[in-house]
Amino acid sequence: MTVPEFIPVSQETYNEIAELKGPERTFDEFLADLVERAKKQQLERDTEAVLTRNRFGEV
């Protein structure tokens, strides 16, 4: 499903994203990959924070 929304970016940012995504992927695929990577990084940071505090929830 597509959403008829526009995300304004500078020409420089657009060009950098286009270069990073390459010709084999759509912008949607590229952005979805970025979102997944960001989620994984956040989970890793959260997990590391819990391990650093050495505190776990009740089981």
Side-chain angles (χ1 to χ4, degrees):
M1 179 179 123
T2 60
V3 179
E5 294 287 331
F6 294 93
I7 303 170
V9 297
S10 69
Q11 186 65 49
E12 180 182 350
T13 299
Y14 176 88
N15 292 342
E16 289 184 27
I17 293 170
E19 186 177 321
L20 284 171
K21 80 169 187 63
E24 68 282 352
R25 294 191 288 176
T26 65
F27 280 95
D28 184 64
E29 291 167 336
F30 179 74
L31 293 172
D33 288 346
L34 285 179
V35 168
E36 283 304 310
R37 288 181 187 188
K39 286 179 180 180
K40 287 177 183 177
Q41 287 177 343
Q42 184 62 54
L43 178 59
E44 288 173 3
R45 284 190 298 265
D46 292 348
T47 301
E48 185 62 34
V50 168
L51 292 173
T52 299
R53 291 190 315 258
N54 201 20
R55 293 176 55 197
F56 300 91
E58 294 291 324
V59 178

